[in-house]
């Protein structure tokens, strides 16, 4: 055959010859090697092309002898080592067909076969490069893949070394993403054959496959990554052992390293990252790897332990994964990491639980039990984290997945001793409530039962008296319970819903919080004035600067971080930014609506974030308290609508919320009466209506508004007539509110003069309207005292000689010591209102010329006389004992209130002050409790003088443990809030002098041992509340100072003070010894109260008193005996003496 003959004619000739013969033969007489010398390249290529076209058309039933020549020539070095790439490419295709046609036998020896495969590998390395021989390379690849030629490698030793370069080339070519998909598929199938059928899976191939996971993320469309994935899916069993070995070598290399060692840790981190990626794409590969991670979670090396825990946590959290079900032992080990000795790992464990909780509902029950355990973790960071992650979970899932007891456990953390935990817990329960509010709002009983209690629980924190807790409460209220909502109607309805869910005690807390915010709002307005003053005056005097600084210090007393708060206030003032001052003023303006307040607040914080970033979080707390957000003028009209929308007899949710709305309106009228300005017409219309219920509510609101607009409001004649009608024909309550409104209107002195005169003339015992008249006059006296001036003498005579002199014979069975005001007989109510009238008159006249001194004296005489009638005498005289309790309490409270005014201070003599103290030992518990609370409230708000601290220690023998605990807690908290300069003492320290003077003048005091044991309890109570290592030297000094002085009130009672001084000194020494406090000499100068003690002349008299011990010898012996037995006895003889001694009260 002519070598130049066309390929088509040769192929057709081949086919014709095969049709003539039953067994096909290869018809290729030409030699590929040439007779004497090698063929030229062009000739060789043509011959190879002819051979290739013939071979690819043949099937395995070809006559094998016809193949012998070409089979031998194709492996000749002239062919296999030819320098021409096309020659090699076509020859490789022919060789592949030769092997195909001989299958399953192999026409070559093992050595030749090795050479052939090396030749194949060399040709297959050309993928991924531009080559004119691509068709031959692909034919070769496809042929080898379809025939599974690579199975012959099983006959060759070290086959891995032979094919590894090809495998590397395959991945390298695929990585470039330039191959056709069918090429990639063929490559993949070849690799799968090599792994599954040949067993080619050395470390290098394993690393090559895993390298693709390292380079690419799940979801990548890179062909090399997809190739690796297909291999993993097809050969999991073969790969598992090799993958395990790969990771074992890395992970176990650090198993014995110390916790501080970092050797090999970076490699381990990379390995863990690779494991995560493999798990995301082909988790079956990790069958034997995950037990290694389980062991790592038990390593002593913290970093390794944490890394393993994090890796497993991510695997468990994978939504498409079921690792926890497949490996229950590993899941159990991972859950055990919640109790790891490292708090940092426990925190990290909790953080990983969030995604697991969200993606695997089947794990919720187990995780919830773990969460319960972690809520009581000893480390505050862990407790804070669990509270935080529960907040993250609840934003994604319905609260139905939480049981109420679990929610209550979270809520308990809001009272944690650590601020960080409290903050996160409050935030979380706030989020829970916020997420459930829509169901609560439509009265879903399940939601109400499960989370409706949260606002009530939060408001109970007000009673803790902890500033950081209160700040957290305010933040939670504004962020979650009553969050930002510019829809006034929706926001108001939510406010009512929240308020309606509160118990009575928590409603009082709501009121207290609102009033506290109102007070701080006023403080902030004062602060703004100081800022404006600093803006307008460049040269402030030292006094002005000092006054401003003192005021800012006062403002910080209500915040947890006083130092930072003070720095923030100073920084804002010193910045002298007119823009920010105006914005702050708008943010706290009670006349601004909700949208305006919110906008101003955001604007200010944005400005500060640009200029003074460090003070932003402090100003968030300041604005939370000062801005009118919880209650705003925008609420008023919607609250009024709610109060009217559900009035009726039938008790429904709507009617219940209407009552709640009315209560909020009442509180707003007291705290923020100015917010009602735009709603005055609605209020007046309600009063003028025939609906008594609506009118009564609006009447109270009007009375509060009138107080804040004294002498400014004017009423139409018909309104005045209607208000007057309430006074003459209404109830005492209606008369009270109507008279307040009238007394505060413009020109009240002229308009009401005749009415006041007539009411005074009608003060007659037995008159049906006596209580109403007294109520009206009482309000006139307070708000328009000029109406009472003309008739005050006759009013005093009537109250003193007629009203109070009349004995109340009406009482309940047994004549109890106490009942509520509403349960008192009308005559008793008349007496209490009559006394209130006199007190109101003096209150109103505190800054006026009137009244004359004799009037003041007469009224105080009446008030002091009220303290003399005890329950015992009332019961003996068969008059109402509860009435006398109310009168004693009212008289005491009134005296404390009135003597705060400079005009009446002279009425509070030292003996009279001592008389007040006896009220704290009244036989009636309610009198003691109410008076103690009056003192505590007044001292806290600084409305009464610090002298009254000493009275609280008279509660030392209080039989009701709850009241005693309340008093002690109050004193200790006040002590922590007092700012005492270095070298100075607090008012509580100095109150020891007044306490000793009180006790020295106590009617029950004697020097008898039994009485001294009793009186020692007062001093012990004082020391338990006040004494510290810092002030004990001062306390010891002042009791010694008393021995150098004489009693200024009753000199003959000076010895009583000396006895008590020695007793106090003895107790101080004992307490110092027990607490290991140093009792050093006090170096400061101390002056005792001049009205109580005067220093004795220096010399012999002082030396004698200071040297002498005035305690009886018998008492000292008893005390020393008690101290000997104290460590070994739960109840000593001295304590028994105290408890068995009946205290006269």
């Amino acid at each position: 055959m002519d070598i130049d003959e066309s390929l088509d004619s040769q192929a057709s000739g081949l086919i014709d010859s095969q049709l003539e013969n039953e067994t096909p033969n290869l018809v290729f007489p030409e030699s590929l090697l040439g007779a004497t010398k090698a063929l030229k390249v062009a000739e060789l290529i043509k011959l190879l092309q002819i051979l290739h076209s013939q071979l690819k058309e043949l099937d395995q039933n070809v006559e094998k002898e016809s193949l012998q020549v070409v089979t031998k020539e194709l492996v000749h070095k002239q062919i296999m080592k030819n320098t021409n790439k096309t020659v090699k490419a076509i020859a490789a295709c022919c060789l592949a067909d030769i092997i195909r046609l001989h299958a399953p036998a192999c026409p070559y020896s093992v050595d030749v076969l090795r050479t052939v495969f090396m030749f194949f590998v060399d040709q297959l390395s050309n993928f991924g490069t531009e080559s004119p021989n691509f068709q031959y390379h692909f034919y070769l690849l496809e042929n080898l893949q379809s025939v599974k030629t690579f199975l012959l490698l099983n006959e060759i030793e070290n086959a891995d070394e032979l094919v590894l370069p090809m495998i590397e080339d395959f991945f390298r070519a695929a990585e470039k993403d330039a191959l056709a998909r069918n090429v990639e598929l063929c490559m993949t199938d070849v690799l799968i054959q090599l792994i599954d059928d040949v067993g080619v899976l050395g470390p290098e191939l394993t690393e090559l496959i895993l390298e693709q996971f390292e380079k690419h993320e799940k979801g990548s469309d890179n062909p090399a990554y997809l190739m690796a994935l297909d291999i993993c899916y097809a050969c999991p069993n073969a790969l598992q052992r090799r993958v395990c070995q790969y990771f074992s070598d890395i992970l176990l290399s650090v198993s014995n390293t110390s916790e501080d060692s970092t050797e090999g840790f970076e490699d381990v981190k990379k390995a863990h990252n690779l494991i995560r990626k493999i798990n995301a794409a082909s988790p079956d590969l990790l069958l034997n790897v995950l037990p290694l991670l389980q062991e790592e979670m038990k390593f002593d090396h913290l970093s390794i332990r944490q890394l393993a825990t994090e890796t497993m946590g991510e695997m468990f959290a994978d939504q498409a994964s079921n690792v926890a079900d497949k490996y229950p032992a590993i899941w159990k080990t991972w859950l055990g990491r919640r109790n790891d000795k490292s708090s940092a790992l426990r925190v990290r464990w909790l953080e990983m639980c969030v995604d697991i909780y969200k993606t695997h509902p089947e794990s919720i029950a187990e995780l919830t039990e773990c969460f319960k355990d972690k809520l009581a973790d000893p480390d505050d960071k862990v407790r804070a984290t669990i509270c935080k992650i529960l907040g993250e979970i609840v934003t994604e899932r319905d609260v139905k997945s939480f049981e109420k007891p679990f929610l209550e456990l979270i809520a308990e953390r809001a009272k944690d001793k650590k601020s960080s935990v409290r903050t996160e817990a409050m935030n979380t329960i706030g989020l829970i409530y916020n997420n459930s509010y829509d169901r609560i709002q439509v009265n879903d009983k399940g939601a109400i039962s499960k989370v409706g209690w949260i606002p009530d629980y939060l408001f109970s924190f007000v009673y803790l008296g902890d500033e950081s807790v209160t700040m957290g409460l305010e933040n939670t209220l504004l962020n979650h319970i009553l969050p930002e909502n510019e829809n006034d109607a929706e926001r108001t309805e939510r406010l009512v819903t929240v308020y309606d869910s509160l118990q009575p005690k928590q409603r009082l807390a709501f009121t207290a919080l609102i009033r506290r915010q109102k007070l701080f709002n006023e403080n902030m307005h004062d602060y703004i004035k100081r800022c404006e003053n600093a803006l307008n005056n460049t040269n402030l005097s030292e006094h002005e600067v000092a006054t401003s600084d003192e005021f800012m210090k006062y403002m910080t007393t209500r915040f947890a971080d006083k130092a930072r708060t003070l720095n923030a206030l100073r920084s804002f003032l010193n910045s002298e930014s007119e823009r920010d001052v105006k914005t702050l003023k708008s943010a706290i303006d009670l006349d601004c609506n909700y949208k305006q307040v919110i906008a101003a607040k955001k604007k200010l914080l944005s400005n500060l974030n640009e200029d003074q970033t460090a003070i932003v979080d402090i100003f968030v707390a300041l604005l939370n308290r000062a801005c009118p957000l919880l209650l705003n003028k925008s609420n008023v009209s919607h609250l009024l609508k709610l109060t009217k929308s559900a009035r009726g007899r039938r008790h429904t949710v709507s009617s219940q919320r209407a009552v709640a709305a009315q209560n909020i309106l009442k509180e707003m009228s007291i705290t923020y009466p100015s917010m009602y300005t735009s709603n005055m017409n609605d209020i007046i219309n309600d009063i003028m209506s025939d609906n008594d219920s609506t009118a009564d509510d609006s009447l109270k609101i009007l009375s509060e508004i009138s107080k804040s607009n004294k002498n400014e409001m004017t009423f139409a004649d018909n309104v005045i007539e209607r208000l007057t009608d309430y006074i003459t024909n209404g109830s005492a309550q209606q008369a009270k509110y109507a008279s307040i409104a009238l007394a505060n209107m413009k020109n009240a002195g002229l308009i009401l003069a005749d009415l006041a005169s007539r009411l005074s003339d009608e003060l007659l015992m037995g008159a049906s309207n006596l209580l109403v008249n007294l109520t009206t006059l009482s309000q006139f006296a307070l708000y328009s005292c000029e109406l009472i001036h003309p008739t005050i003498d006759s009013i005093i005579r009537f109250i003193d000689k007629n009203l109070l002199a009349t004995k109340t014979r009406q009482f309940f069975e047994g004549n109890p010591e106490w009942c509520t005001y509403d349960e008192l007989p009308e005559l008793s109510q008349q007496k209490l209102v009559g006394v209130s009238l006199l007190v109101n008159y003096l209150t109103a006249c505190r800054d006026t010329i009137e009244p004359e001194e004799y009037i003041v004296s007469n009224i105080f005489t009446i008030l002091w006389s009220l303290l003399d009638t005890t329950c015992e005498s009332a019961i003996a005289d068969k008059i109402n004992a509860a009435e006398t309790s109310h009168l004693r309490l009212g008289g005491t409270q009134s005296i404390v209130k009135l003597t705060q005014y400079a005009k009446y201070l002279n009425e509070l003599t030292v003996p009279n002050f001592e008389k007040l103290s006896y009220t704290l030992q009244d036989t009636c518990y309610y009198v003691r409790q109410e008076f103690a609370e009056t003192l505590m409230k007044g001292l806290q708000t600084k409305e009464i003088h610090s002298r009254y601290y000493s009275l609280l220690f008279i509660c030392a023998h209080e039989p009701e443990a709850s009241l005693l605990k309340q008093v002690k807690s109050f004193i200790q908290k006040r002590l922590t809030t007092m700012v005492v300069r270095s070298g100075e003492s607090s008012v509580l320290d100095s109150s020891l002098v007044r306490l000793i003077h009180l006790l020295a003048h106590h009617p029950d005091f004697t020097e008898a041992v039994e009485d001294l044991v009793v009186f020692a309890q007062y001093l012990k109570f004082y020391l338990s509340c006040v004494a510290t290592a810092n002030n004990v030297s001062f306390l010891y000094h002042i009791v010694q100072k008393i021995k150098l002085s004489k009693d200024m009130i009753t000199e003959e009672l000076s010895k009583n003070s000396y006895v008590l001084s020695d007793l106090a000194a003895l107790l101080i020494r004992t307490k110092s010894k027990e607490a290991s406090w140093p009792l050093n000499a006090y170096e400061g100068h101390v002056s005792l109260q001049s009205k109580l003690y005067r220093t004795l002349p220096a010399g012999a008299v002082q030396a004698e008193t200071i040297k002498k011990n005035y305690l009886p010898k018998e008492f000292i012996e008893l005390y020393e005996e008690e101290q000997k037995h104290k460590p070994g006895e739960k109840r000593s003889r001295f304590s028994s003496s105290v408890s068995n001694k009946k205290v006269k009260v």
Side-chain angles (χ1 to χ4, degrees), residues 150-192:
F150 281 103
L151 268 65
L152 294 173
L153 287 172
N154 285 312
E155 306 298 324
I156 301 174
E157 292 183 3
N158 300 320
D160 291 37
E161 297 176 2
L162 233 149
V163 297
L164 185 61
M166 178 190 72
I167 297 172
E168 291 174 343
D169 289 336
F170 278 7
F171 278 110
R172 190 180 301 113
E175 183 79 28
K176 296 178 181 179
D177 196 10
L179 300 176
R181 181 62 179 153
N182 55 346
V183 176
E184 296 168 3
L185 292 174
C186 287
M187 286 180 171
T188 303
D189 198 41
V190 166
L191 295 180
I192 291 172

Side-chain angles (χ1 to χ4, degrees), residues 348-404:
R348 189 72 189 95
W349 182 89
L350 285 168
E351 291 170 345
M352 290 183 288
C353 286
V354 177
D355 290 333
I356 300 174
Y357 198 101
K358 294 175 182 177
T359 56
H360 290 279
E362 70 278 4
S363 302
I364 287 177
E366 283 183 281
L367 290 177
T368 300
E369 289 303 312
C370 296
F371 292 162
K372 291 178 182 178
D373 182 40
K374 292 298 96 187
L375 284 167
D377 193 275
D379 191 278
D380 61 285
K381 294 185 183 67
V382 178
R383 298 196 302 275
T385 302
I386 177 62
C387 293
K388 180 181 179 180
I389 67 125
L390 289 172
E392 294 175 17
I393 288 171
V394 81
T395 57
E396 299 278 337
R397 300 187 62 87
D398 192 280
V399 76
K400 289 179 180 178
S401 61
F402 290 159
E403 294 299 323
K404 185 177 179 180

Side-chain angles (χ1 to χ4, degrees), residues 463 505 508 818 889 892-893 896 916 919-921 924-944 948-949 951-953 955 958 960-971 974:
Y463 292 100
K505 187 176 180 182
L508 288 175
W818 186 263
L889 176 62
T892 307
Q893 291 173 325
V896 172
L916 287 177
T919 307
L920 289 170
Q921 296 184 323
C924 177
Y925 166 71
Y926 294 98
V927 174
R928 302 196 303 273
Q929 181 195 41
E930 290 294 326
F931 185 49
E933 291 188 351
T934 297
L935 293 178
M936 288 187 284
K937 180 180 178 182
L939 289 166
Q940 184 169 356
T941 58
K942 298 186 178 180
E943 292 176 359
I944 64 175
Y948 289 101
Y949 275 114
L951 292 192
L952 291 176
F953 299 108
C955 295
E958 171 57 47
E960 290 291 336
S962 60
L963 178 56
L964 185 63
K965 182 180 178 181
Q966 181 184 357
V967 171
K968 184 173 183 178
S969 175
F970 168 78
I971 294 170
R974 291 302 300 158

Side-chain angles (χ1 to χ4, degrees), residues 599-815:
K601 179 183 177 183
K602 289 180 178 178
K603 177 65 176 173
L604 177 61
L605 294 176
S606 175
N607 293 345
L608 293 178
N609 205 33
E610 293 174 3
D611 304 332
Q612 302 183 69
T613 309
I615 69 173
V616 170
D617 59 329
I618 295 295
F619 262 79
V620 168
L622 293 170
L623 294 173
N624 283 348
R625 187 168 298 176
C627 293
L629 293 172
L630 292 181
L631 296 181
N632 185 272
K633 64 180 295 184
S634 305
N635 296 124
V636 176
S637 59
H638 298 287
L639 286 169
L640 288 169
K641 289 177 185 177
L642 286 172
T643 61
K644 300 168 187 175
S645 62
R647 293 189 180 276
R649 295 181 179 179
R650 193 162 65 89
H651 182 77
T652 63
V653 172
S654 296
S655 64
Q656 188 174 318
R657 288 179 179 172
V659 173
Q662 184 60 51
N663 289 337
I664 296 172
L665 281 170
K666 290 177 181 176
E667 176 54 36
M668 290 183 73
S669 70
I670 295 170
T671 311
Y672 298 113
S674 62
M675 290 183 178
Y676 283 89
T677 306
S678 57
N679 301 94
M680 280 301 298
N681 288 336
D682 292 335
I683 295 169
I684 294 295
N685 289 337
D686 284 344
I687 293 172
M688 299 301 291
S689 72
D690 294 327
N691 187 328
D692 289 340
S693 177
T694 302
D696 285 354
D697 293 337
S698 296
L699 193 60
K700 185 174 189 300
I701 292 171
L702 179 63
S703 71
E704 295 299 336
I705 297 172
S706 67
K707 291 180 190 177
S708 64
N709 295 277
K710 186 173 177 61
N711 297 328
E712 294 178 8
M713 298 182 66
T714 57
F715 299 124
D717 291 343
N718 63 330
V719 177
I720 295 175
E721 185 179 341
R722 184 57 182 260
L723 294 174
T724 304
D725 185 61
Y726 279 122
I727 291 173
T728 54
N729 299 310
S731 66
Q733 195 80 339
Q734 290 172 330
K736 175 183 176 181
Y737 298 136
S739 58
I740 292 173
L742 288 171
N744 283 287
M745 69 179 175
K746 189 174 182 180
N747 297 323
L750 295 175
I751 298 171
L752 302 176
D754 291 341
L755 176 61
S757 177
R758 177 165 59 83
L759 293 176
S760 299
D761 293 340
E762 291 176 0
L763 294 179
L764 300 170
M765 293 302 300
S768 60
N769 62 346
L770 179 58
L771 181 59
V772 173
N773 287 355
L774 287 168
T775 301
T776 301
L777 291 170
S778 177
Q779 301 311 314
F780 284 176
L782 183 59
Y783 297 107
S784 191
C785 60
E786 65 271 18
L787 294 171
I788 305 299
H789 288 328
T791 57
I792 186 61
D793 283 322
S794 62
I795 291 174
I796 293 174
R797 280 196 303 273
F798 170 77
I799 293 173
D800 186 24
K801 304 301 182 184
N802 299 95
L803 185 57
L804 293 176
T806 304
K807 298 186 182 299
T808 308
R809 300 293 182 183
Q810 181 184 351
F811 45 78
F812 292 112
E813 183 179 353
N815 200 1

